[in-house]
Amino acid sequence: MAAAAPKPAGAQVFDAIIVGAGFSGLYQLHKLRDELGLNVRVLEKGDGIGGTWFWNRYPGARCDSESYYYCYSFSPEIQQEWSWTERYPEHPEIRRYLDFVADRLDLNRDIQLSTTVTGARFDGARSLWTVDTAGGERFETRFLITAVGCLSAANIPKFDGLESFRGSWYHTGAWPREGVDFTGKRVGQIGTGSTGIQAAPVIAAEAAHLTVFQRTANYSIPARNRPMTPEETRAIKASYPEIWEKARAGTNGHPFDVAARSALSVSDEEREAIYEQAWARGGLRFRASFQDILADKAANDTASDFLRRKIAEVVEDPEVAERLTPRDHGFATKRPPIDTAYFETFNRDNVLLVDLKAEPIVAVTERGIRTTARDYELDIIVFATGFDALTGPLLALNIEGENGLPLRQAWAEGPRTYLGLQVPGFPNLFTITGPGSPSVLCNMPIAIEQHVDWITAAIRHLREHGLDRIEARPEAADAWVEHVNEAANATLLPMAASSWYLGANVPGKPRVFMPYAGGFARYIGICNEVTGDGYRGFALR
Ligand code: NAP
């Protein structure tokens, strides 16, 4: 390491600044501080740790991955000491888990809460990043690591008249800590993605009336949540090494096998029985019923048809059932939600479905929502309208790389990274689960751990070799972007025109398939190969 340059008055100097204190920021702090001995500060916008789970406290918020593998794998002690209470953890339990980890590893002393990063600039002459915050603080650091999550920049559609609405409105991803009382209220919920599908049943049970404004009908699999039994917990704790091995060897970082058979290789009766069994078991594992559900349109049709029939079975009013039935995309080409009594909710007397394809929203008025067909009077509007995914949280940091190049400009045509880890022209900036990595197509904690381990090893390598800088080479990033596109195009994923994977949910956002769809195991192999080959594609000096 070169000697630290003199600091400007007032700047606090660290070896590494990590932005965000969710799953990724906490683990990255532990690795850099406790393994490499670096002087590290985590800057966190919220007034508590937890990242995604700090902000997403909406009714029904619960993880779609099962609790026993939606957690860290790096510490055998932590996984033995912590026990999950339910098959899918609810948001407060995930925060309790992260608090437990932070206490266990004594992380809080290096986390600065209520600190919003407003800008970061790279000084090429000194190989240092300067980081500014909304509170007027300035930091200098060799390494800048973003741990801001993929789904943390709320997408609030710009409806005319929202400011005139006399009731209250909330985005699910910035839910008030104290909660929202729906008792006796007329509630309008916009959005039927994973979030809306979790929220609607809970809101409907509490509110006087719920109107669900749906733009695109969605598939959903029952979650079949239930308490964990002590026997199950014991068995899981005894087999963690195999669980993690399986998760790392798979496509999506989940510790279950995708069946090797094709959906087209079995008889209709056999296929139906397999789908029924997966439906009864519940959860994201449904898509592992056959290996070609996301690779072959005819195979995908079999799953989509099965799920459409289930909607018709559950929803009593055939017209409502038809409006709830997705016809414009195949199952799992958009992130598949899982639910607890979502479709059943539309059998309630106090729930109304509005099809925005038939009657788009014109404006929000003083009294509610106006569509092209009529006015809906509301006391509360819930925006379950998703996120400016993957790039949004990074662009919000106002990062400027070498020669003052803004990240926003570098990514004007869409994100360009090498392995989702680094951006050419932005030395020593690491993006945990950045665009171009498996990230959101994966079980997040294990994808995060792989990135953090890689980043930690790269920084260790620099230090051991007396080097200051690591930077993705432009040609490596170009080749990677091409590979990310190829990987996506080898699947049915790009077919869903309104998918946030493509940035299609945010008006004006470049349409680029952002996560790496080539599979987690393959991605790990590529990263290891790159390292073994002397950090191929990175410039080190
Ligand atoms: P989302 O999947 O992007 O869904 C947003 C919904 O809002 C969609 O129905 C969308 O319709 C609608 N919408 C957006 N803009 C609109 C507009 N201007 N007018 C009308 N409707 C509009 O967002 P999300 O449900 O928050 O989920 C995002 C991701 O977060 C998930 O896919 C998942 O990866 C993650 N998540 C995970 C969990 C979990 O693990 N527990 C829970 C929730 C979310 P279109 O489809 O037509 O765009």
Side-chain angles (χ1 to χ4, degrees), residues 42 60 97 103 166 198 293 370 476-477 485 537:
V42 177
Y97 169 74
D103 287 344
R166 289 216 197 115
Q198 286 186 333
I293 285 181
R370 178 170 300 154
N485 281 321

Side-chain angles (χ1 to χ4, degrees), residues 53 56 58 60-65 70 89 151 155-159 171-172 190-198 213-218 284 334-338 356-357 361 384-387 440 498-501 504-505 507:
W53 300 102
N56 281 270
Y58 60 86
R62 183 181 287 287
C63 185
D64 287 346
S65 290
Y70 190 80
L151 297 160
N155 171 41
I156 301 171
K158 294 184 175 53
F159 293 124
H171 187 277
T172 51
I190 306 173
T192 53
S194 300
T195 299
I197 280 177
Q198 286 186 333
F213 294 88
Q214 168 192 277
R215 189 165 66 180
T216 305
N218 219 335
L284 289 172
K334 294 172 82 167
R335 158 67 151 77
I338 65 172
L356 296 179
K357 290 262 162 73
I361 293 175
T385 43
F387 302 90
V440 290
S498 64
S499 164
W500 58 260
Y501 292 152
N505 61 328

Side-chain angles (χ1 to χ4, degrees), residues 260-322:
R261 62 196 168 215
S262 160
L264 308 174
S265 69
V266 296
S267 69
D268 290 353
E269 295 72 32
E270 202 179 331
R271 189 187 313 113
E272 192 73 4
I274 290 166
Y275 282 142
E276 282 292 355
Q277 207 180 12
W279 176 265
R281 185 176 51 218
L284 289 172
R285 197 167 168 180
F286 184 92
R287 70 185 158 177
S289 301
F290 296 102
Q291 49 89 1
D292 48 358
I293 285 181
L294 264 179
D296 182 293
K297 170 81 170 60
N300 186 279
D301 286 345
T302 65
S304 304
D305 287 345
F306 176 87
L307 294 171
R308 290 187 193 115
R309 277 185 277 122
K310 285 291 180 197
I311 298 171
E313 270 172 36
V314 173
V315 180
E316 287 157 10
D317 180 332
E319 265 179 44
V320 176
E322 180 49 35

